[in-house]
Amino acid sequence: MDSGPCRNDKVNFMAAKVSTKEIRQLVIERIKTLSSGRKISIGSEGSFSKEELIDHVKTGDKIGEKIVKVQMNYLRSFKLGFLKDNKK
Amino acid sequence: MKKGSFLLTRPDHEPTVSYLFAWAEKVLKSSQKKNIFSIDLPGKEANKNKFVSSIKKFKPAFIFLNGHGSQNSVTGFDNKPILSFADNEEITRDAVIYALSCQSAKRLGKSCVSDGARSYLGYNDDFIFVFDENSAGELNKDQTASYFLDPSNDLAESLLQGKTSGTAIEISQSAFEQSIIKFSLSDATAEERELLPYLLWDWQHQVCLGDSRAKCEFISEEEYNKQRVTKFYILISIIILFIIIFIGFRFLR
């Protein structure tokens, strides 16, 4: 079951309407490709393996939302152009 | 510009900060090689009392904070705050600060600059890095983590070399950019490409607040000790002078 702050939102992703559920699935697929043995440290939240991250994304908790934000930021950067043009 | 020391905090109570601890040691060694008077607060010594007293005593020109953080604070050992918004940010007056911690540039950094810090370099969102679990024991040799922590060290090293805050952040940004560009090319490996979202994130959220022309001049330990001896002799001279005046007065009466 979906949960989290933007459960039923529709977002404009690369000119297409994509549901939060679809975005989460996309992020999960991306996380699945993370090399085994690697962990991601997210500040004081802790360090997470890909399996743990996938669980967090599925749950839609704070860590899951953060990782979705990071991955979507990267994907959006293709549209906006990398580096100089993309500095916030 | 007044010369000052170099102060760094580096707790080591859990895996993430242990990485920062190990990488900051490289910066410490480099500062010692440059004969910069360096005050290291490692492990349990990275606490608020030691931090505040060290700043008051050694007046650092450059403060390098490693630890967890939030909009309102940077923490030391056991995640206890050592520098906090609306608490003790005025102790950073006249210093250049680099905080390798999450989010602290969002509010705390601005407050430090308002309270007299010359510049505050850090991150206005989470600092995220990827590491190799199998590197336990030799954290500072983890190639995966190096793509994130080397650009960070470049910033600290640049400040130790006397470069301006603006130049230091440009050098760090450029190091991030090199990896981002390299890993975006078609010949990049899958292991390299998977780092891109996190490198891009850190690169985007690294900021310099305050005066980008601010740079540091450092004092050596010898100079510091010499200053202390000079201050001691001045104090003794003043006391002797007072004694002579006092005896003279009594003699005249």
Side-chain angles (χ1 to χ4, degrees), chain A residues 30 33-35 37-41 43-44 47 66-67 70-71 73-74 77 82-84 86-87, chain B residues 16 68 102 125-126 128-133 144 173 177 181 184 191 194-196 198 203-204 206:
Chain A
R30 288 187 57 79
T33 64
L34 188 72
S35 307
R38 277 184 169 178
K39 276 194 159 187
I40 297 178
S41 164
S44 52
S47 305
K66 172 61 74 178
I67 217 74
V70 173
Q71 289 285 348
N73 174 64
Y74 169 66
S77 71
F82 261 161
L83 300 176
K84 295 293 178 197
N86 192 32
K87 180 90 185 179
Chain B
T16 296
H68 289 306
C102 296
D125 207 310
D126 288 336
I128 298 176
F129 70 94
V130 185
F131 63 92
D132 190 348
E133 261 189 301
T144 305
Q173 289 269 291
E177 285 166 23
I181 291 168
S184 302
E191 286 80 15
E194 69 192 20
L195 303 179
L196 279 167
Y198 313 104
W203 173 78
Q204 283 177 329
Q206 189 187 48

Side-chain angles (χ1 to χ4, degrees), chain B residues 121-140:
Chain B
L121 301 111
Y123 301 84
N124 59 18
D125 207 310
D126 288 336
F127 179 82
I128 298 176
F129 70 94
V130 185
F131 63 92
D132 190 348
E133 261 189 301
N134 304 319
S135 287
E138 284 198 300
L139 305 186
N140 60 3

Side-chain angles (χ1 to χ4, degrees), chain B residues 15 26-27 30-31 46 71-72 99-100 125 191 207 222 228 243:
Chain B
K26 295 180 182 184
V27 178
S30 166
S31 76
Q71 291 185 38
N72 296 323
L100 179 53
D125 207 310
E191 286 80 15
V207 293
E222 294 76 39
R228 282 189 71 189
I243 291 170

